[in-house]
Amino acid sequence: MKQLVIILLIFNFYMTDSSYAQEIAILKYGGGGDWYANPTGLPNLIKFCNQQLRTTIDPKPQTVEVGSPNIFQYPFIHMTGHGNIFFSGEEAENLRTYLLAGGFLHIDDNYGMEPYLRKELAKVFPDKELIELGADHPLFRQQFQFPKGLPKIHEHDGKRPQAFGIFEQNRLILLFTFESDLGDGWEDPEVHNDPQEVRLKALQMGANIISYVFKS
């Protein structure tokens, strides 16, 4: 309990000291999946947030491993990929402690990671399940309005986009965006040749996520 209190105090400092440039990180995981996918995505989202939301996020996202104590330096961590994911028992415990202590994890399925992810999340929270968020969730009503919920950015299997969450005492601690592929929409225009309006929707939704987490 004492350790959790100390961690919460650290998070409180990072979240409230306006003179400090926030840092967010990409989660590096084992199992062979491409955790490094969409390399231009997160930097573009940070730039958009700093311009549109007046956040002070460091333009260069860091990389942090699941089991590293450095995970507690970042109030927001992003995870993506296409394939296999594996958390050791120690990594799952470290991630659970991070999330319960005030951290936030956004997982964006870049296509194909969902079955592996669910298996590993059961190690992190064996007593919790992913719950679908309705279109009325505050996440979709931040600076940018998404009355229909999560936008569809890339088409893969013809399925509707879904946003799932894990909660701790009514606090959203983990967001899983599925069949949307926000990260592809954040990338440089020439990577996927998405229309500007599609990229803008992806960036606006990403900004809503950042805004929601930083204000919660």
Side-chain angles (χ1 to χ4, degrees):
M1 179 61 69
K2 183 177 180 181
Q3 182 187 17
L4 288 179
V5 171
I6 293 172
I7 293 169
L8 285 168
L9 289 173
I10 293 172
F11 271 120
N12 185 63
F13 170 78
Y14 284 127
M15 297 292 276
T16 58
D17 183 358
S18 60
S19 66
Y20 183 83
Q22 296 282 358
E23 287 188 308
I24 61 180
I26 298 167
L27 192 67
K28 180 180 179 180
Y29 53 85
D34 55 340
W35 59 268
Y36 46 81
N38 296 340
T40 65
L42 201 54
N44 284 340
L45 176 61
I46 291 172
K47 180 179 179 181
F48 184 83
C49 289
N50 286 346
Q51 291 175 342
Q52 299 294 319
L53 306 180
R54 297 186 177 181
T55 50
T56 56
I57 304 171
D58 190 319
K60 183 179 179 181
Q62 303 300 307
T63 298
V64 65
E65 297 185 4
V66 184
S68 171
N70 294 333
I71 198 172
F72 297 99
Q73 296 178 19
Y74 309 103
F76 183 102
I77 293 175
H78 176 73
M79 177 180 177
T80 191
H82 293 83
N84 192 36
I85 300 165
F86 176 77
F87 298 155
S88 69
E90 292 79 8
E91 288 173 334
E93 182 179 359
N94 194 55
L95 184 57
R96 178 170 59 251
T97 302
Y98 163 78
L99 293 170
L100 294 179
F104 186 90
L105 176 63
H106 171 221
I107 307 168
D108 186 49
D109 190 345
N110 208 350
Y111 188 61
M113 72 186 301
E114 185 260 349
Y116 308 104
L117 174 69
R118 287 183 179 271
K119 178 171 61 71
E120 298 310 295
L121 286 182
K123 297 179 183 177
V124 181
F125 290 114
D127 58 338
K128 295 181 183 292
E129 294 183 357
L130 288 166
I131 299 171
E132 185 168 4
L133 306 183
D136 59 344
H137 191 275
L139 195 68
F140 305 113
R141 293 182 282 108
Q142 297 294 307
Q143 181 161 336
F144 303 103
Q145 301 297 307
F146 289 89
K148 296 182 179 179
L150 189 68
K152 186 77 168 181
I153 304 303
H154 270 195
E155 188 64 65
H156 293 297
D157 294 329
K159 298 178 181 178
R160 66 183 179 89
Q162 293 177 276
F164 297 94
I166 289 180
F167 293 82
E168 171 64 17
Q169 297 181 351
N170 296 320
R171 180 177 75 88
L172 181 65
I173 60 176
L174 183 150
L175 172 69
F176 174 45
T177 46
F178 177 59
E179 285 291 332
S180 171
D181 218 339
L182 292 174
D184 276 7
W186 300 343
E187 287 231 80
D188 289 347
E190 63 273 14
V191 177
H192 299 289
N193 296 313
D194 289 325
Q196 177 58 25
E197 61 269 22
V198 172
R199 291 191 69 245
L200 184 59
K201 281 196 302 182
L203 289 166
Q204 289 177 338
M205 187 65 240
N208 271 15
I209 298 169
I210 294 283
S211 176
Y212 177 83
V213 172
F214 279 20
K215 291 194 304 186
S216 296

